Amino acid sequence: MASTPALAGRVAPAVVLLGAIAFGWSHIGAPLYYDEAWTLVNFARQPVSRIVTDYSAPNNHIAHSLLLHVWSWVIGDPVLVRPDTAILRIPALVMYSLGVLAFFAAARRLIQDDPLSAAAATAVFACHPQVLPFASALRGYGPSVCLFAVLLALVAHQDRVSRLIFAEALAVLVFLIHYTVPSNVWFTLPFAVAALAFGRFRPGLEGGSSFRATLVAFAVAGVSTVLAYLPVYEQMKPYAGPARPLGEALRDAPGRLVEHLQRLSEGVGLASSSAVTLLLAAAGI
């Protein structure tokens, strides 16, 4: 029979995690706001062929629109004539819950001797004001947070899987993150640095270091992302701004780099950059 301290050590983290997840699910009945309704009507309810070729507005977070489209068929309302808001939010909340568990798996791996502290860190992440509002949102940001948390867990546990599995999982996750929201490409860069750092300084994968596996995975994800967005490339140009001469672009590069670094302190970037800081600290570099 387990001792009282040992039992408390298992129960307390579980209570903290369940509380954090339940807090997210408490938003299941929230009414649709404008961007959610726009995405549903103009993208998620459309045929798949249109979802993957229509980028007339950035509201089309393509991978997420496909998820909503599939979910609409599962609930028996493929054209979303009378959508039940609570039912529509279930996939987002499921992904939020998986993201919370994935973050805990990473924290538990990095804080090995204190599961309660790992659970507390996870609760802070789950209830963060830049994470919680997206828990039930019918937009691509919530799934992005989930995918980033799974990516963090994969990097933290990379020494427990084979190099092939690690590379394949890394490539798929990074591609899905990019295909959900294009600007997420900037937020995956810190994870690339962290994964490369782990592979360089803490090799332990079955079959050797993960350094080359990480490079290959990100290369595959990058090429896949470019190919996936080719059908909407022309429509995306207005959102990228007008093309500029190479010399002008190079002169502006430092300022744009600072701008992108500032963006890393907002929204999804806050979670990713903070997570990478934790990873690098754990790696001892």
Side-chain angles (χ1 to χ4, degrees):
M1 185 175 180
S3 64
T4 300
L7 184 61
R10 296 191 187 99
V11 173
V15 170
V16 172
L17 289 176
L18 289 175
I21 292 174
F23 193 41
W25 279 79
S26 67
H27 295 75
I28 192 170
L32 295 179
Y33 62 86
Y34 179 81
D35 279 352
E36 291 180 317
W38 179 279
T39 298
L40 283 173
V41 172
N42 292 282
F43 300 111
R45 68 183 294 184
Q46 304 300 327
V48 171
S49 59
R50 177 173 172 182
I51 293 175
V52 299
T53 57
D54 185 355
Y55 207 80
S56 54
N59 293 61
N60 187 15
H61 297 164
I62 298 179
H64 181 252
S65 294
L66 290 171
L67 174 64
L68 279 178
H69 183 83
V70 171
W71 182 243
S72 70
W73 281 90
V74 171
I75 64 178
D77 188 10
V79 293
L80 298 171
V81 176
R82 290 186 175 182
D84 184 316
T85 303
I87 293 178
L88 284 177
R89 294 192 185 283
I90 289 178
L93 286 166
V94 168
M95 294 199 73
Y96 166 78
S97 303
L98 292 175
V100 171
L101 294 177
F103 191 94
F104 175 72
R108 185 71 181 88
R109 174 72 170 149
L110 298 175
I111 312 175
Q112 297 184 8
D113 298 326
D114 194 348
L116 185 56
S117 293
T122 304
V124 172
F125 164 79
C127 299
H128 193 281
Q130 295 289 359
V131 173
L132 186 61
F134 298 127
S136 61
L138 301 181
R139 307 284 279 120
Y141 305 115
S144 295
V145 171
C146 169
L147 292 169
F148 273 117
V150 175
L151 186 60
L152 173 63
L154 176 66
V155 173
H157 288 82
Q158 64 178 269
D159 59 334
R160 295 189 172 186
V161 296
S162 70
R163 184 165 54 181
L164 178 62
I165 293 177
F166 173 74
E168 290 176 341
L170 190 64
V172 170
L173 284 171
V174 172
F175 169 74
L176 288 176
I177 289 170
H178 292 172
Y179 202 46
T180 302
V181 182
S183 59
N184 278 342
V185 65
W186 298 107
F187 303 142
T188 57
L189 294 179
F191 280 88
V193 173
L196 288 170
F198 261 58
R200 175 66 179 84
F201 296 104
R202 294 183 63 178
L205 280 182
E206 179 185 332
S209 169
S210 66
F211 189 84
R212 284 180 296 174
T214 300
L215 286 178
V216 170
F218 271 86
V220 170
V223 172
S224 301
T225 300
V226 171
L227 293 175
Y229 277 112
L230 279 180
V232 297
Y233 173 71
E234 292 297 326
Q235 295 175 325
M236 294 177 71
K237 280 185 177 180
Y239 309 116
R244 297 178 299 161
L246 178 60
E248 180 183 343
L250 290 176
R251 285 195 302 271
D252 293 344
R256 291 179 64 83
L257 176 61
V258 171
E259 177 185 347
H260 288 306
L261 289 175
Q262 289 174 338
R263 290 179 62 190
L264 284 175
S265 66
E266 303 171 359
V268 175
L270 179 63
S272 64
S273 57
S274 299
V276 168
T277 301
L278 179 62
L279 274 173
L280 293 178
I285 59 175

